[in-house]
């Protein structure tokens, strides 16, 4: 897919949680085509400490409104700066990068999208694109407490939503892999994004249930283009670049032993 | 429009701007984002005789105005390069230069000889300065004897333009430059990365898998510039300058310090089209200062 370097205009920045903002970007020209699971490398100017670009998943693309949405967790200097953006600010974006999730081949496919924390971000666009083809996704979303569940209403508008919280304040209590859904139903494919321990647990479940599973990795990146070889993950095919060969990998390729 | 063309022995560059090895892949990764044929040359990823997996992850740490890397020369080997990559890059209309590394003088020479046979590769850059591999790399680049032994072995089997890339991790870089000049190097390029380190104080661990890595980016520019100036005065062969160049002002500083051409590395990660902007910026500066050719500013600093 052709890559672009664009100065996108901030349309809105919404504080949807103490630590998370939803940034909507737009451009005068139509935004390029982007696939669910792909990401953007963002330039955060103004400090020697935010020297490299920051990789952020494509959370949603609203074609009618010509908007690109980013869900950002303010964890360090760069992402905290992003959280302070104001409407009208410009953001230099390199996009779309990476491969993206495998899309269903038919509307009959039963697909489960498992996300935790800010890892839910790419699953919204994935689910929305699936719903567009008439394939209704099941989302399984995990968080620490009810108030840490992000964008629930929007997820609900595209599919069935199951929830776990660690304190039981919403949905079932525990981690995503404890949810009864996984005992009671079978899926043709699982896609997951979130903290590595969560994705590894989902991968273990998938192997046992003999369900195809793809995980989206978040290795540290410099170029985002497959040029520097900094972001590599060890796989059955040797070291692969998460930025170019991923970020989405079939778990069979990953050397996740446990 | 000032004249921008420069020559390094038989290597003719349409302008003095090249991209640095390990930061620009094989060029193809950037093809959507800038016209590859707009710059003077592209120095592709470090290539070795045998395939190398490189070091473990994490291989990168961001530091103030720079980054550390310990990629460790991951590449699929020279035969894979000749068979699979060369056909994809040979028609790019600029100088495609291969960065060659090895673990013994014989390794280097054999790798160079195989690349000598490729018609559309007009030059190699010999990397005797990689700080991230145990065997070879910088081990050769830090002593005059080591550097000479590699250049001597390669010179016997490589007949096109031979650029030797020097390590800044030495006491006197001019000495090494003179040693490789004496063995028949056509040019020297400098600097490779500076050995560095970073620590995660919460986890009490280093941020890189092999503890140390090479520092690059604007943080190293003043050091690189000083070394280019020293080496340019010490040798007669053309010098290629690099280290932290981010814009045309930086590039002009290197040219004034004595570099005949420059390379852009880490800055490609910040702006994939930066090399074209540097070319245009040099041209504009020359025009606005009444210079007819880039040669009017090369080495003006005594
Ligand atoms: C493909 C990909 C998609 C991503 N998508 C999103 C997203 O949609 N929303 C979002 O909020 N974040 C996302 N991330 C993570 C995000 O890139 C990092 O949180 C960000 O770069 C941290 O920058 P900073 O300057 O705020 O923090 P820094 O000051 O650089 O670091 C603060 C902390 O964040 C950790 N960190 C730094 N880089 C990463 C990284 N790449 N992955 C995980 N932790 C990191 C550091 O180890 C440190 O503990 C994604 C990462 C990748 C590789
Ligand atoms: C990720 C990365 C990989 C590199 N790989 C190589 C390499 O394979 N061979 C080499 O000679 N130099 C390599 N270098 C060094 C650069 O070519 C260059 O000498 C150095 O980064 C200084 O220039 P800069 O500050 O403009 O980046 C690498 C640098 C980086 C950041
Ligand atoms: S970040 Fe450079 S190769 Fe992936």
């Amino acid at each position: 897919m052709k890559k672009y370097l664009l100065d996108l205009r901030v349309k809105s920045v919404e504080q949807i949680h103490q630590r998370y903002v939803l940034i909507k970007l737009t451009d005068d020209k139509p935004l390029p085509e982007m696939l669910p699971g792909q990401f953007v490398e963002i330039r955060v100017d103004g400090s020697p400490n935010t020297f490299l670009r920051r990789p952020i998943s494509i959370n949603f693309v609203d074609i009618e409104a010509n908007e690109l949405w980013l869900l950002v967790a303010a964890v360090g200097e760069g992402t905290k700066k992003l959280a302070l953006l104001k409407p009208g600010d410009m953001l230099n974006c390199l996009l779309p990068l990476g491969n993206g999730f495998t899309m269903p081949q038919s509307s009959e496919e039963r697909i489960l999208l498992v996300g935790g924390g800010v890892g839910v971000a790419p699953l919204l666009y994935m689910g929305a694109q699936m719903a567009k083809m008439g394939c209704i996704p099941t989302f399984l979303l995990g968080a620490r407490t009810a108030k840490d569940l992000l964008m629930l209403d929007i997820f609900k508008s595209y599919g069935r939503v199951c929830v776990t919280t660690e304190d039981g304040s919403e949905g079932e209590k525990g981690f995503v892999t404890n949810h009864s859904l996984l005992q009671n139903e079978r899926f043709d494919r699982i896609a997951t994004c979130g903290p590595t321990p969560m994705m590894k647990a989902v991968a273990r479940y998938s192997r046992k249930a003999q369900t195809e599973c793809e995980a989206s990795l978040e290795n540290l990146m410099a170029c985002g283009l497959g040029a520097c070889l900094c972001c590599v993950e060890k796989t059955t095919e040797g070291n692969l670049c998460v930025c170019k060969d991923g970020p989405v990998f079939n778990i069979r390729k990953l050397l996740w032993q446990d | 429009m000032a004249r921008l063309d420069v020559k390094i022995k038989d290597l003719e560059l349409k302008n003095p701007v090249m991209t640095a090895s390990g930061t620009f892949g094989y060029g193809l990764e950037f093809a959507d984002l800038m016209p590859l044929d707009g710059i003077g040359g592209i120095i592709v990823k470090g290539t070795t005789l045998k395939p190398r997996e490189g070091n473990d992850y994490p291989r990168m740490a961001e530091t103030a105005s720079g980054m550390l890397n310990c990629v460790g020369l991951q590449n699929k080997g020279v035969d894979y390069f000749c068979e699979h990559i060369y056909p994809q890059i040979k028609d790019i209309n600029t100088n495609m230069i291969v960065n060659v590394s090895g673990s013994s003088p014989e390794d280097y020479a054999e790798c160079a000889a195989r690349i000598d046979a490729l018609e559309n590769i007009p030059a190699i850059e010999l990397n005797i300065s990689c700080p991230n591999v145990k065997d070879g790399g910088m081990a050769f680049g830090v002593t005059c004897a080591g550097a000479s032994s590699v250049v001597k072995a390669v010179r016997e089997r490589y007949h096109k333009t031979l650029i030797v890339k020097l390590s800044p991790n030495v006491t006197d870089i001019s000495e090494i430059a003179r040693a490789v000049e004496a063995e028949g190097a056509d040019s020297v390029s400098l600097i490779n990365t500076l050995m560095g380190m970073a620590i995660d104080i919460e986890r009490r661990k280093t941020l890189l898998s092999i503890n140390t890595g090479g520092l690059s980016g604007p943080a190293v520019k003043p050091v690189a510039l000083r070394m280019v100036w020293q080496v340019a005065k010490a040798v007669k062969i053309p010098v290629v300058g690099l280290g932290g160049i981010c814009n045309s002002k930086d590039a002009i500083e290197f040219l004034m310090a004595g570099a005949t051409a420059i390379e852009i590395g880490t800055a490609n990660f910040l702006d994939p089209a930066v090399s074209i902007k540097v070319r245009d910026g040099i041209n504009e500066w020359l025009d606005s200062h009444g210079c007819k050719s880039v040669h009017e500013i090369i080495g003006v600093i005594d």
Side-chain angles (χ1 to χ4, degrees):
Chain A
M1 267 172 91
K2 188 169 158 62
K3 301 178 188 83
Y4 299 83
L5 189 61
L6 301 173
D7 283 313
L8 300 182
R9 195 172 63 250
V10 176
K11 204 160 161 185
S12 65
V13 182
E14 204 183 321
Q15 187 92 37
I16 60 170
H17 179 278
Q18 200 187 340
R19 270 178 303 121
Y20 300 96
V21 290
L22 178 63
I23 302 172
K24 296 184 180 172
L25 303 171
T26 189
D27 196 15
D28 295 334
K29 283 194 257 156
L31 293 167
E33 190 196 349
M34 294 171 249
L35 305 176
Q38 289 189 306
F39 67 97
V40 183
E41 275 260 64
I42 294 178
R43 183 86 182 252
V44 186
D45 281 322
S47 162
N49 300 323
T50 55
F51 171 67
L52 297 168
R53 288 174 180 268
R54 297 300 191 256
I56 300 291
S57 304
I58 292 166
N59 174 226
F60 189 72
V61 181
D62 184 334
I63 295 181
E64 282 82 62
N66 200 39
E67 283 172 2
L68 163 62
W69 297 10
L70 306 173
L71 179 63
V72 176
V75 295
E77 196 168 324
T79 46
K80 281 179 185 153
K81 270 218 192 97
L82 292 178
L84 296 175
L85 286 169
K86 296 273 170 296
D89 288 347
M90 302 303 279
L91 208 53
N92 186 258
C93 300
L94 180 57
L95 82 178
L97 304 176
N99 57 357
F101 292 110
T102 303
M103 292 301 284
Q105 302 303 304
S106 84
S107 58
E108 308 297 297
E109 269 185 60
R110 295 162 53 82
I111 299 197
L112 177 67
L113 305 176
V114 187
V118 77
V120 302
L123 303 182
L124 178 65
Y125 186 37
M126 170 74 174
Q129 291 296 89
M130 286 177 55
K132 220 185 213 175
M133 15 180 323
C135 183
I136 303 304
T138 301
F139 297 103
L140 174 54
L141 307 175
R144 283 226 294 283
T145 72
K147 69 172 188 359
D148 300 314
L149 287 159
L150 305 170
M151 307 180 88
L152 266 195
D153 290 340
I154 310 178
F155 278 106
K156 283 178 184 159
S157 67
Y158 290 110
R160 175 166 63 136
V161 177
C162 301
V163 164
T164 60
T165 50
E166 286 171 38
D167 69 349
S169 52
E170 183 151 348
E172 295 187 13
K173 185 173 165 149
F175 297 114
V176 282
T177 39
N178 304 127
H179 199 283
S180 58
L181 175 74
L182 298 181
Q183 267 61 59
N184 303 333
E185 289 186 37
R186 296 203 33 101
F187 294 89
D188 299 314
R189 196 201 313 272
I190 298 177
T192 183
C193 184
T196 307
M198 184 206 88
M199 291 199 288
K200 285 191 172 169
V202 173
R204 267 197 302 276
Y205 163 81
S206 308
R207 274 196 295 267
K208 235 188 248 150
Q210 297 187 318
T211 307
E212 285 291 303
C213 178
E214 289 180 334
S216 180
L217 307 190
E218 292 201 349
N219 292 10
L220 295 170
M221 293 180 180
C223 71
L225 295 166
C228 72
L229 310 182
C230 285
C231 64
V232 292
E233 179 74 17
K234 276 199 177 131
T235 72
T236 52
E237 298 166 16
N239 282 326
L240 292 180
C241 290
V242 170
C243 69
K244 187 171 173 222
D245 307 308
V248 177
F249 292 93
N250 191 303
I251 57 158
R252 272 178 290 140
K253 260 195 201 174
L254 300 174
L255 307 183
W256 286 358
Q257 275 92 357
D258 52 315
Chain B
M1 177 86 201
R3 280 192 65 170
L4 293 178
D5 57 301
V6 295
K7 264 183 96 169
I8 296 172
K9 186 79 183 310
D10 299 327
L11 183 69
E12 292 179 7
L13 308 179
K14 58 185 111 175
N15 59 64
V17 181
M18 298 190 278
T19 51
S21 178
T23 65
F24 207 67
Y26 294 100
L28 302 165
E29 294 84 347
F30 290 74
D32 286 346
L33 301 160
M34 62 161 267
L36 298 176
D37 59 5
I39 52 177
I42 293 173
I43 304 180
V44 305
K45 182 70 203 157
T47 302
T48 50
L49 189 57
K50 296 271 148 55
R52 289 185 73 115
E53 270 294 292
N55 291 317
D56 282 348
Y57 177 88
R59 292 176 169 187
M60 185 271 282
E62 192 175 19
T63 59
S65 297
M67 63 178 281
L68 292 163
N69 90 82
C70 63
V71 172
L73 297 176
Q74 177 182 330
N75 79 100
K76 292 188 170 158
V78 69
D79 291 338
Y80 184 92
F81 174 81
C82 294
E83 273 166 50
H84 299 280
I85 297 168
Y86 176 66
Q88 297 178 59
I89 64 170
K90 72 180 178 37
D91 297 322
I92 298 174
N93 185 19
T94 186
N95 293 299
M96 300 302 293
I97 298 169
V98 180
N99 180 270
V100 171
S101 208
S103 40
S104 67
E106 297 73 35
D107 259 23
Y108 275 98
E110 182 59 36
C111 189
R114 293 195 197 174
I115 293 166
D116 201 24
L118 303 176
E119 196 187 336
N120 291 0
I121 305 290
I124 58 172
E125 180 179 62
L126 214 55
N127 177 7
I128 54 167
S129 44
C130 179
N132 301 321
V133 292
K134 277 199 211 86
D135 47 337
M138 201 172 82
F140 295 106
V142 293
T143 65
C144 291
S148 302
S149 70
V150 173
V151 176
K152 184 167 193 233
V154 171
R155 189 71 284 183
E156 280 170 13
R157 303 195 51 199
Y158 189 76
H159 308 98
K160 302 184 208 170
T161 303
L162 174 60
I163 305 168
V164 180
K165 186 165 181 181
L166 305 181
S167 170
N169 303 303
V170 294
T171 318
D172 181 1
I173 195 166
S174 313
E175 222 182 18
I176 313 273
R178 275 194 298 263
V180 302
E181 179 181 38
E183 292 298 342
D186 298 315
S187 169
V188 285
S189 59
L190 60 140
I191 58 173
N192 207 319
T193 53
L194 280 152
M195 264 261 251
M197 187 167 171
I199 293 172
D200 178 339
I201 59 170
E202 298 307 323
R203 291 167 51 240
R204 304 184 184 205
K205 284 196 169 140
T206 55
L207 285 169
L208 297 170
S209 63
I210 58 163
N211 298 324
T212 60
L215 181 64
S216 64
V220 309
K221 198 197 89 180
V223 177
L225 188 64
R226 181 266 294 176
M227 289 186 163
V228 165
W229 175 70
Q230 287 178 322
V231 168
K233 288 197 294 183
V235 296
K236 295 199 180 61
I237 50 178
V239 174
V240 178
L242 74 153
I245 298 176
C246 287
N247 52 47
S248 54
K249 177 188 162 290
D250 294 340
I252 292 167
E253 287 188 63
F254 277 82
L255 295 169
M256 289 184 170
T260 297
I262 58 105
E263 296 177 22
I264 297 178
T266 305
N268 293 306
F269 306 156
L270 316 184
D271 177 358
V274 66
S275 49
I276 290 291
K277 293 175 190 166
V278 168
R279 177 203 65 183
D280 293 345
I282 294 172
N283 182 48
E284 276 165 36
W285 190 94
L286 292 171
D287 282 349
S288 67
H289 291 73
C291 301
K292 299 222 157 36
S293 153
V294 67
H295 290 277
E296 291 175 38
I297 62 166
I298 292 173
V300 294
I301 304 293
D302 267 348

